[in-house]
Amino acid sequence: EAGVAQSPRYKIIEKRQSVAFWCNPISGHATLYWYQQILGQGPKLLIQFQNNGVVDDSQLPKDRFSAERLKGVDSTLKIQPAKLEDSAVYLCASSSDRGTTEQYFGPGTRLTVT
Amino acid sequence: GNSVTQMEGPVTLSEEAFLTINCTYTATGYPSLFWYVQYPGEGLQLLLKATKADDKGSNKGFEATYRKETTSFHLEKGSVQVSDSAVYFCALNPDSNYQLIWGAGTKLIIKP
């Protein structure tokens, strides 16, 4: 079974530029999560999708971050414009249920904003 | 509110030493508890979990027991290896909620 795929693995941009991350969850997993992990901290949930609907985006900075999950499969997270404090690893995870079972994580995208 | 507190790292041990990483939590209801591991350059992987009081989760020689009376879920291993070097995260899934609440992580360094 293929795992959660993410791309790119690394990205370096200047502040005020835009960036997009892509995630393809495990086949058949209805729930998809985007997390932000700042160095030395635990993951922080940004947004959760159930199929192609948003379940929770309460911690997503909506003035600059956006995410979509068209057709309920893969997902894109965008930052526009980026700030220095957005430097982090962006993790995508999926699960077959709404969080009561295991979440499977991708390798993450390390973003550096200069 | 719900929260998870882990012991600060890094924790440095010699190979074959006994490991304990402390994790305590605050939650209403009856949460499920998890330990995730993040090896260098890799994504998070579920190590073990426990869904009710007194359950013991185990995997790869690691164990953790859900102690409701002390609100703890400490991770233990009897004899660590260099390959266990990683960052370990304790997390909880609150009852009737879907989010994972994460600890800050504990970096483990095992020296040969």
Side-chain angles (χ1 to χ4, degrees):
Chain A
E1 174 182 80
V4 177
Q6 289 188 248
S7 67
R9 291 294 308 275
Y10 305 92
K11 190 74 177 178
I12 301 174
I13 62 172
E14 295 182 351
K15 60 184 179 183
R16 291 187 290 274
Q17 286 187 324
S18 62
V19 64
F21 313 126
W22 174 82
C23 171
N24 191 28
I26 291 173
S27 177
H29 279 192
T31 307
L32 185 148
Y33 312 80
W34 282 104
Y35 290 91
Q36 180 191 60
Q37 186 180 17
I38 292 173
L39 187 65
Q41 299 181 18
K44 169 189 165 185
L45 181 68
L46 293 175
I47 189 167
Q48 178 181 346
F49 292 94
Q50 180 81 2
N51 297 307
N52 61 348
V54 175
V55 175
D56 184 354
D57 63 357
S58 58
Q59 298 193 86
L60 187 73
K62 298 180 186 63
D63 57 334
R64 297 184 300 106
F65 286 64
S66 64
E68 60 183 11
R69 190 183 184 196
L70 300 176
K71 302 180 182 178
V73 181
D74 56 350
S75 176
T76 303
L77 176 69
K78 296 180 181 177
I79 308 175
Q80 182 179 10
K83 292 185 175 181
L84 295 176
E85 58 261 36
D86 298 332
S87 293
V89 176
Y90 290 84
L91 298 167
C92 179
S94 69
S95 70
S96 60
D97 200 77
R98 286 185 71 194
T100 57
T101 57
E102 179 178 355
Q103 294 185 21
Y104 295 82
F105 284 81
T109 298
R110 182 176 298 277
L111 173 67
T112 302
V113 182
T114 63
Chain B
N2 301 308
S3 66
V4 175
T5 302
Q6 291 182 235
M7 64 189 293
E8 286 193 26
V11 173
T12 304
L13 296 171
S14 297
E15 207 166 19
E16 299 183 3
F18 184 86
L19 168 71
T20 300
I21 299 178
N22 290 338
C23 171
T24 57
Y25 68 89
T26 302
T28 55
Y30 302 92
S32 296
L33 301 173
F34 304 83
W35 277 101
Y36 277 79
V37 60
Q38 190 170 34
Y39 297 103
E42 298 185 16
L44 287 154
Q45 304 173 26
L46 179 66
L47 182 60
L48 52 84
K49 68 179 181 182
T51 57
K52 61 183 186 297
D54 300 325
D55 266 3
K56 177 185 284 188
S58 61
N59 187 25
K60 300 182 180 179
F62 290 89
E63 293 183 339
T65 301
Y66 187 160
R67 301 286 189 198
K68 190 162 179 66
E69 64 276 15
T70 55
T71 61
S72 65
F73 193 53
H74 304 321
L75 183 68
E76 296 181 336
K77 187 174 184 181
S79 176
V80 292
Q81 306 299 313
V82 172
S83 57
D84 294 326
S85 298
V87 181
Y88 292 81
F89 291 90
C90 185
L92 69 84
N93 175 213
D95 188 34
S96 74
N97 198 324
Y98 48 76
Q99 286 191 19
L100 282 176
I101 309 299
W102 296 84
T106 302
K107 184 173 184 177
L108 175 64
I109 300 170
I110 306 301
K111 296 188 173 181

